[in-house]
Amino acid sequence: LAVDYFNFTVTLQPIDVSGNRIGSYEDSRTGQLVVQVTQKNDNKPKPVNPNATSTFSVVQFGHFKLTDQQLNYVDVDSDFSSGQLLYTIYSGLKYGTLLLNGRPVRQFLQSDLNTNGITYQHTASKNVLPDFMGYYVSDENPANHFYSLLTFDIVPMSMTIRGEVLQVIEGKQRMITVEHLNVSSNLKPFFSRHVVFVLASLPANGQILVRGQALPLSGNFSLEEAESGDVVYLHDGSDTITDVLAVVPQYLGKIFLQHSIKILVQAVDDTPPVIHKQQGMAVDDGSVTRIESDILSAHDDEVDSHDVVFMLEQQPRSGVVLRAGKTTRSFTQYDLDQGLIDYQHILGSHYYDSLIFSVTDGTNSIPNITLD
């Protein structure tokens, strides 16, 4: 209510029968008249900052919080609280929705903005066109509308994976964790249940299990399942040292570039060495003859040549085995490769001899290998 007033004085003065004043004032009184004016609600709400931006960037599938920093109007009619100004959406929001404390709304109050209660949520899975929100602000007089427009520029979501190498023991299984699927995105936050990995190709030497079930080609698992420990790589036990898991990440239907997870297989020494030897070797009486690797050798893909060991099971009848010129009862494949192993025949001895070995790789052994 607007208030106005004026002061006044009332005096008493004698008059004769003809109405003429006679004598002096006998009495006087002062007073004040107060005028109360009820304002007419005929002013539209006005923006506090007319130059404030009306365009906002939102990551695809993401949200944007609207507060009184972005939308703030006042009512110049003093008899109406600005917090009660009503926002009404009359057009737009084709690719998103407004949420008040998590619930979709088409109307909200200035007081909701003041308490950070309004959120724009982008909902379209593939469309990244700008979204618009036409709205008007009104007070208790329906005729007092202020029309305006907000624009939401949608930024395409990006996703990258920089995971660790998966290491597994031959024939065993290894859990695929979030460390192997280290996902980063410009969408913050993103929800792991919506991050899905589709098998682009099956591993060559194993399979992917999700909660114990083999995943077929084009099957998928979620990041949430990996976080829960439900995704496993199972190696098939073959003598391989690497494998690859190729996946195509997706988020709510949006497809990203294929990613490959490298798998390193730790070999298990579960097979004995493979023996290669000739039927025999000829020596001269009393001479020293080199035992070449093309005459006698053992090969094992799972260990180094230093670890493949030949051991004499019994001494030769007509000679001795030398390693670098010294008598020995054992030597390695590496020694053979380096030309360090000789057979020395004893002059005048038998004209036939046999070398009987066992061969081991440290885990597996083969007995009774004979070289005549």
Side-chain angles (χ1 to χ4, degrees), residues 275-278 281 291-298 310 331-333 336-337 341 355 357 359 369-371:
I275 307 300
H276 303 279
K277 68 181 184 66
Q278 293 185 357
M281 56 181 290
I291 303 178
E292 303 285 356
S293 58
D294 59 351
I295 296 175
L296 176 68
S297 67
F310 294 81
F331 54 89
T332 67
Q333 180 60 46
L336 286 168
D337 295 337
I341 307 303
L355 304 180
F357 304 97
V359 181
I369 305 300
T370 301
L371 177 65

Side-chain angles (χ1 to χ4, degrees), residues 267-370:
V268 174
D269 187 11
D270 55 0
T271 57
V274 178
I275 307 300
H276 303 279
K277 68 181 184 66
Q278 293 185 357
Q279 291 297 322
M281 56 181 290
V283 300
D284 294 330
D285 186 19
S287 67
V288 176
T289 304
R290 178 67 44 80
I291 303 178
E292 303 285 356
S293 58
D294 59 351
I295 296 175
L296 176 68
S297 67
H299 177 72
D300 191 333
D301 288 332
E302 296 170 340
V303 298
D304 190 79
S305 60
H306 289 88
D307 299 319
V308 178
V309 180
F310 294 81
M311 300 193 65
L312 283 171
E313 295 187 351
Q314 63 185 47
Q315 287 288 355
R317 293 178 301 168
S318 305
V320 294
V321 176
L322 305 177
R323 180 186 181 279
K326 296 181 180 181
T327 303
T328 184
R329 291 183 60 86
S330 66
F331 54 89
T332 67
Q333 180 60 46
Y334 179 81
D335 296 331
L336 286 168
D337 295 337
Q338 298 301 310
L340 301 178
I341 307 303
D342 299 305
Y343 169 77
Q344 181 177 16
H345 183 257
I346 299 174
L347 185 65
S349 298
H350 297 86
Y351 294 101
Y352 179 84
D353 203 356
S354 295
L355 304 180
I356 302 175
F357 304 97
S358 65
V359 181
T360 180
D361 58 13
T363 303
N364 310 282
S365 298
I366 302 176
N368 302 320
I369 305 300
T370 301

Side-chain angles (χ1 to χ4, degrees), residues 159 161 247-250 255-260:
M159 180 184 293
I161 303 175
V247 294
V248 177
Q250 297 185 11
I255 300 174
F256 299 92
L257 293 177
Q258 178 175 312
H259 176 76
S260 295

Side-chain angles (χ1 to χ4, degrees), residues 217-237:
L217 183 64
S218 299
N220 66 76
F221 60 90
S222 69
L223 184 61
E224 185 177 58
E225 289 172 318
E227 291 173 342
S228 302
D230 294 331
V231 185
V232 169
Y233 169 81
L234 175 62
H235 187 254
D236 61 9

